[in-house]
Amino acid sequence: MTLVAAQGEEKGKKGQEKGEEKGPAQEQEPQTHRNAPSAPPPRTPRHPLRAEFRRGFAPWTGAALFLTLAATLAAASAQWQGGWAETREQLHTAALLLGVPLALAAGCRQGGRERRRRTEQLLATAVRSPLARFLAAALPVACWIVAGYAVTAALALLATALCATGDRPDLVAPLTDAVALASAALVGHVVGRLLPWMLTAPLLAVAGYAVLGIVMYDNTGPLRQLTPLGSASDIDVPVWWQPPVVAVWTGGLAVAAVLAYAARRRFTALVPLAAATAAGALLVQTGDGLWHTNTLARQQVCDTSTAPQICVNARYKDLLPQVTDALSGLTDRLHGVRNLPVRFTDLPGEPGPDEVHLPIGWSVVRGKLADPQRFAWEAGMALYGRNECDKAVDPRVARADDAVEHYLAPSPSAQDFDELNAKGSKADRADLRDRLDARARLKAMGDEERRAWLSAYLATARACDPSEVPAL
């Protein structure tokens, strides 16, 4: 027993020694495992909207809207670049008359995508709700359309800021236009889901353009206030609550259409529909009270050193030096002449009894007078024009009018008409000789004699009876 126990102890010691020898090797195994390349962390799944926003049809819609509006505005830049109100109206009209049909067509085409791909049944098995699937496809198009319009509006406002002559920019109108464009895209998407026909998108665009065009050119009914185009002019501004009410009207209809189509509880569409109905009723009942004349458009700045005084609308206050310089020849020749109106004005409505209208807005291009000579001729015609006469002007009076016009501020095309009459019939040549003689007689008068005759002539500037006009 003692021998067996001794042999067991020797085997145990040998086993411990072997265990101690194997220990370092066992410790190296985990170190070798730690030096091995670690596995990559799990990738966070990307939201499906990311691919919809970055690729596919949606970005192209924004680019298409931007190019359409930019080309339209650039072609007519001479009409709007000099004034903030003109820029607002031109951008507003182009965005809605061209942008809304494009947004309807783009949303409609996107809405029929699943039917064209034949993936409707597959998407119906997805975990997400129908409303979430609808918004995942519709929002990218709506957002890209708004982005394209925002870039266009920013560039238009920047271009106007370089040439503006007064007034101030309107930043509320672009916001309401953006809501209308997004609403059109959502409504078009609903139509595309319901009618996934190949020609639905173009037909919907044509129908939208026709409706907006009819309302724009025939806006006499009470329902004209329901269209986003409105019925204002360049000098009108909306009341403070009109833009948000229009946004509720257009956006409420779009949200109601989306909820009625895709929501699980479709009765929730009644809430935005009720809001849109209330907003529409408020717009119709208010009517023309939605707009009022711009405060600056009712004011004017004047140069009182001339006779007549030269007054321009406060919206064009920076143009007063140019206008005064353009009319300097006319006012110099009228120095000392009596029976003149008190001032030239550029205010809305008819001028006063001692005033004549000076339509500056027609002659301004990019903040400058496009044709100073023509502008001076138009101002002179406002002094002695006889457009209100029902019958043809007597030839003797017509010769006197022509002589005064040629002396004070001749028409830029007067020489062209003279050359045509010189090559015309015998009667045309005789009429030209009589007019040239009348011009020569007025020019040959002495200063005092000419001022006296012009004073008598201007006293009968609106008279249609030839006996009242002094002979020349």
Side-chain angles (χ1 to χ4, degrees):
M1 292 293 293
T2 305
L3 180 60
V4 174
Q7 291 177 353
E9 290 177 359
E10 290 180 359
K11 289 181 179 179
K13 292 179 180 180
K14 291 180 180 179
Q16 290 178 358
E17 292 176 356
K18 291 180 179 180
E20 291 176 358
E21 293 177 356
K22 291 179 181 180
Q26 291 175 353
E27 291 177 357
Q28 292 177 1
E29 289 178 1
Q31 186 176 0
T32 305
H33 180 72
R34 286 195 299 267
N35 293 334
S38 59
R43 181 176 297 178
T44 304
R46 295 180 177 179
H47 198 278
L49 279 177
R50 180 184 177 90
E52 293 282 357
F53 273 101
R54 295 184 59 182
R55 297 187 296 272
F57 178 69
W60 291 104
T61 59
L65 182 68
F66 167 73
L67 293 176
T68 300
L69 298 183
T72 303
L73 293 175
S77 60
Q79 301 176 10
W80 56 266
Q81 196 174 353
W84 290 113
E86 290 81 1
T87 301
R88 179 199 68 190
E89 287 305 304
Q90 194 73 21
L91 181 63
H92 176 68
T93 302
L96 297 181
L97 198 58
L98 300 178
V100 166
L102 192 150
L104 287 170
C108 185
R109 186 183 184 281
Q110 183 79 345
R113 180 180 63 177
E114 281 73 22
R115 181 69 64 88
R116 293 193 304 271
R117 295 177 177 178
R118 298 180 180 179
T119 58
E120 288 180 310
Q121 296 180 354
L122 178 62
L123 291 176
T125 61
V127 179
R128 291 185 175 87
S129 64
L131 181 59
R133 296 197 303 269
F134 179 95
L135 294 178
L139 283 181
V141 174
C143 291
W144 270 106
I145 284 178
V146 172
Y149 170 72
V151 174
T152 307
L155 292 178
L157 293 176
L158 178 61
T160 302
L162 300 175
C163 306
T165 57
D167 210 344
R168 57 182 179 270
D170 184 358
L171 301 180
V172 178
L175 295 179
T176 57
D177 294 344
V179 173
L181 290 171
S183 302
L186 294 177
V187 172
H189 197 96
V190 173
V191 175
R193 289 287 185 94
L194 295 174
L195 300 173
W197 185 37
M198 183 182 301
L199 297 179
T200 303
L203 290 178
L204 185 62
V206 172
Y209 181 83
V211 171
L212 290 174
I214 292 173
V215 174
M216 178 180 178
Y217 292 106
D218 186 17
N219 54 359
T220 56
L223 298 180
R224 69 186 185 279
Q225 304 296 348
L226 295 179
T227 175
L229 280 172
S231 58
S233 63
D234 291 344
I235 62 174
D236 292 333
V237 293
V239 295
W240 66 269
W241 52 264
Q242 189 256 13
V245 172
V246 172
V248 171
W249 161 247
T250 56
L253 291 179
V255 173
V258 171
L259 293 178
Y261 172 78
R264 293 185 184 276
R265 298 177 178 85
R266 296 184 177 181
F267 64 86
T268 56
L270 296 177
V271 176
L273 182 61
T277 303
L282 181 60
L283 293 174
V284 172
Q285 291 179 358
T286 307
D288 294 334
L290 293 171
W291 303 89
H292 61 88
T293 305
N294 189 354
T295 304
L296 285 178
R298 296 194 299 265
Q299 301 174 2
Q300 58 184 1
V301 291
C302 300
D303 183 351
T304 59
S305 63
T306 63
Q309 299 176 10
I310 300 174
C311 300
V312 300
N313 196 292
R315 294 177 55 232
Y316 303 106
K317 59 182 180 180
D318 296 340
L319 277 176
L320 183 58
Q322 294 185 45
V323 173
T324 303
D325 183 65
L327 299 182
S328 59
L330 174 67
T331 55
D332 289 345
R333 294 183 178 91
L334 289 174
H335 180 70
V337 176
R338 300 183 306 276
N339 299 321
L340 290 172
V342 176
R343 65 183 63 88
F344 290 105
T345 64
D346 185 28
L347 293 176
E350 293 295 327
D354 294 330
E355 300 174 341
V356 289
H357 192 52
L358 190 66
I360 296 178
W362 300 349
S363 306
V364 178
V365 176
R366 298 184 180 94
K368 296 182 180 180
L369 290 177
D371 190 345
Q373 183 182 2
R374 183 174 184 85
F375 179 75
W377 170 71
E378 291 176 350
M381 293 299 293
L383 291 174
Y384 42 75
R386 303 182 192 276
N387 299 326
E388 299 178 359
C389 296
D390 297 332
K391 299 180 180 180
V393 180
D394 185 81
R396 183 181 64 83
V397 177
R399 288 193 294 270
D401 292 342
D402 177 78
V404 174
E405 172 189 340
H406 194 271
Y407 173 73
L408 294 179
S411 170
S413 55
Q415 184 176 357
D416 296 334
F417 284 112
D418 291 345
E419 293 176 355
L420 288 176
N421 289 334
K423 299 177 182 179
S425 63
K426 183 178 180 180
D428 293 335
R429 294 194 298 270
D431 180 67
L432 176 61
R433 286 193 301 270
D434 293 339
R435 286 190 285 112
L436 293 177
D437 292 341
R439 295 176 189 174
R441 285 194 295 270
L442 180 61
K443 188 176 181 180
M445 290 181 181
D447 293 339
E448 292 297 331
E449 181 185 5
R450 188 187 302 113
R451 280 194 287 268
W453 188 89
L454 286 174
S455 299
Y457 170 84
L458 290 175
T460 62
R462 298 292 184 268
C464 298
D465 186 357
S467 62
E468 299 180 12
V469 180
L472 180 60

